[in-house]
Amino acid sequence: MRRLPFAVLAASAALAGCASVPKPLVGDYAAVNPQQARDRHLPGERVRWGGEIIRVDPGANVTCFEILGRALADNARPSARDDSQGRFIACRKGFYDPEVFTRGREVTVAGRLDGSERRKVGEYDYLYPRVDADVVYLWPKRSAVVRYDPYPWSWDPF
């Protein structure tokens, strides 16, 4: 039997580590996204949703986040695509500084559905599913990836 070189095993372990879900976000959650939750009444259902922060509203004892929902990758991080799964509101006890949790930052929240709330998006009356969050996980900013093509004149079918 051939043994795999140590480098291959180490690389496999490193790649597997990249796709792991952060400990606070591990758990069993309903397979429903914010758009689907708008159409159904699911109070108390456990969800793990993520996306891009639109607005942060710190209150006296709670901070609420308005979030543009995005599909989650295998590691529970919101995808960087331009699609949307609908908007939602997530509220968590405590103070979350809007200068840290700024517009455009990626977050993943975990908690229970707690009804819905109507707010205006421009002139549109939008129904936001509301999450009573146990976890608000702020992801590090993505680093820019620069692709260098040593053969810019070559034909690449992909």
Side-chain angles (χ1 to χ4, degrees), residues 15 17 20 23 28 38 41 58 60 105 108 110 126 134 153:
L15 287 174
S20 63
K23 194 175 258 184
D28 294 321
R38 283 184 51 186
H41 187 67
R105 291 292 304 268
T108 301
Y126 194 89
D134 300 320
W153 59 85

Side-chain angles (χ1 to χ4, degrees), residues 9-10 16 18 33 36 46 62 69 72 85 90 95 99 122:
L9 291 174
C18 292
N33 66 39
Q36 295 164 337
R46 285 183 45 79
V62 68
L72 298 181
Q85 292 190 337
F95 174 74
E99 291 299 317

Side-chain angles (χ1 to χ4, degrees), residues 22-74:
K23 194 175 258 184
L25 297 172
V26 172
D28 294 321
Y29 301 97
V32 61
N33 66 39
Q35 187 67 43
Q36 295 164 337
R38 283 184 51 186
D39 301 333
R40 297 187 255 172
H41 187 67
L42 304 166
E45 197 73 47
R46 285 183 45 79
V47 295
R48 180 177 62 201
W49 293 343
E52 186 177 313
I53 296 173
I54 297 172
R55 192 171 83 204
V56 178
D57 295 320
N61 298 314
V62 68
T63 301
C64 290
F65 302 84
E66 184 178 336
I67 301 169
L68 178 64
R70 304 256 193 236
L72 298 181
D74 290 341

